[in-house]
Amino acid sequence: MAVTAATALTATACAKDGSGGGNATIKLGMVVAETGPIAGAGKTFANGARIAAQEINDGDLIGGGKKIELVAKEGSEDPAKSAGVVSQLVADKDVTGIACCILSTVAGAAKPIADKQKVPLVLWGATDVNLAEPPYVFRTVTMPQPANEKLAQTVAQQRKPATVAYGVVTDNSGIVSQADAFKKGMTEAGVRNVGQVDTLSTQTNFTGAATDLIQKNADAIVVVGTQSNAVGLIAALHDKGYAGQVVSGETISGTGVYKSQPAALGSVPFPVYFLAGSATGAGKTFAADYKAKYGDDPDDYAAQGFTAIWTMAMGLKAAGHDTTRAGLAKALGQMTELDTVYGKVTFDHGQLNAAPSVQAVHYTAPDGAIAPWTPGN
């Protein structure tokens, strides 16, 4: 694996900050969300991470016979509960690093604990800006902002809308940031913004919001929200007969989402960084291993879970004998590029960048497979 990182550090007999330097089994904590309001996405994050551990251990990819053990604890993407779980994992001195957080609010609760206790924390899904902060907080999520901007430009070029309106969940700062990226892409492509309709993360009825959006007479409507909100608003627009182009973010991807609203979601493009059907190299291997174990193709969320554990493992490889919390933090902080399921990515101040891998996709009928999007389909 190509990892540009620190030269392997000298061995330590034992570590005061977690995981003895020569241990053959290295524990990595995971704060999972396999129950709770976003369990659909949470399960694929966790399953992707488990495939990473499987491949790392089976292939002796860290080297020297070292293996990783995932210590998973349920946080349900509740900030208080997840912060408590992070504290539990930190208290286990054998846990060398922690992967966590789909929501930015959860990341905000976990980050100060990792900083204070000097434990490497890899964020695999939180998308608010400026969350990565070495030497202890890193982010391997493929950020949606560049993907949204690129998708907006792609849709503008291919569908040529003159005007666009936006439906945005405004009480989630990460979602607002994603909407701003869509706006930037559309504006740079010459599409005129005719207004925005705000929704809330607690909202369940989108009839009024859909009516207000349709009344703006826009050629395209961009829906930006959490999974349930985005799907609900897209369905409401469909039910009210909106005939323009609906566009959305990666939040509408995930197991079972298409089946919940097949008629509404089929023609809606959204961006992904990972598409199993077109994956090559490490991505192709991951897709095959994931499908063999779970029976489905991995989605973007599974790829993000995989990448978090993969990155920590490659950091441990670079750290050599010093597989302590300090050794891992230093290796991750000095990592500048890495071969991943997205291809070769770069790191800037602890933030992964895979912008060249963005693809515009949509759901296909009748099975809801994800395939490349063009205006014709």
Side-chain angles (χ1 to χ4, degrees), residues 8-325:
L9 304 174
T10 56
T12 54
C14 74
K16 295 180 181 179
D17 65 344
S19 192
N23 283 0
T25 299
I26 304 164
K27 290 184 178 181
L28 298 177
M30 284 202 311
V31 184
V32 298
E34 296 183 285
T35 65
I38 55 173
K43 289 176 181 176
T44 59
F45 270 99
N47 287 343
R50 292 176 180 120
I51 295 297
Q54 172 187 308
E55 290 188 9
I56 290 158
N57 290 340
D58 290 350
D60 190 25
L61 298 182
I62 297 176
K66 290 185 174 68
K67 296 184 180 296
I68 60 172
E69 175 187 341
L70 299 182
V71 182
K73 291 185 177 291
E74 180 64 46
S76 303
E77 282 310 290
D78 174 85
K81 182 177 180 180
S82 296
V85 169
V86 171
S87 295
Q88 293 172 29
L89 291 168
V90 166
D92 183 349
K93 296 301 182 183
D94 287 332
V95 171
T96 302
I98 301 170
C100 174
C101 313
I102 299 172
L103 301 179
S104 296
T105 50
V106 177
K111 181 175 175 177
I113 302 171
D115 275 330
K116 183 177 180 179
Q117 300 299 326
K118 300 181 178 180
V119 179
L121 174 69
V122 175
L123 305 174
W124 61 16
T127 60
D128 206 352
V129 296
N130 300 324
L131 282 174
E133 192 173 347
Y136 300 111
V137 183
F138 306 88
R139 183 159 54 177
T140 57
V141 58
T142 49
M143 293 294 284
Q145 288 86 349
N148 291 352
E149 183 177 344
K150 185 174 179 179
L151 176 63
Q153 293 170 341
T154 298
V155 172
Q157 291 165 1
Q158 297 196 28
R159 290 284 283 164
K160 304 188 184 310
T163 56
V164 60
Y166 298 87
V168 182
V169 170
T170 53
D171 61 345
N172 181 310
S173 57
I175 295 297
V176 171
S177 176
Q178 292 186 45
D180 289 343
F182 270 117
K183 291 175 184 177
K184 181 180 178 183
M186 286 289 187
T187 299
E188 289 179 350
V191 185
R192 182 166 59 90
N193 182 350
V194 295
Q196 176 173 309
V197 173
D198 298 343
T199 62
L200 298 175
S201 57
T202 55
Q203 197 163 329
T204 56
N205 188 319
F206 297 94
T207 302
T211 299
D212 292 343
L213 278 168
I214 291 171
Q215 287 176 348
K216 294 187 181 298
N217 295 316
D219 298 323
I221 292 176
V222 177
V223 175
V224 197
T226 58
Q227 187 174 91
S228 60
N229 295 72
V231 172
L233 182 50
I234 291 168
L237 288 168
H238 178 268
D239 291 346
K240 286 192 162 295
Y242 177 68
Q245 178 67 62
V246 178
V247 183
S248 194
E250 69 169 352
T251 59
I252 68 167
S253 67
T255 303
V257 175
Y258 173 76
K259 292 180 180 178
S260 70
Q261 293 290 342
L265 293 173
S267 61
V268 178
F270 58 95
V272 297
Y273 285 91
F274 180 82
L275 184 59
S278 60
T280 60
K284 187 174 183 179
T285 300
F286 163 57
D289 288 345
Y290 189 97
K291 189 161 189 175
K293 187 165 185 177
Y294 298 112
D296 293 316
D297 287 330
D299 60 15
D300 244 11
Y301 297 141
Q304 288 172 207
F306 182 99
T307 303
I309 301 302
W310 183 268
T311 302
M312 282 198 281
M314 296 302 101
L316 290 165
K317 178 182 178 70
H321 294 293
D322 188 11
T323 55
T324 65
R325 292 174 177 178

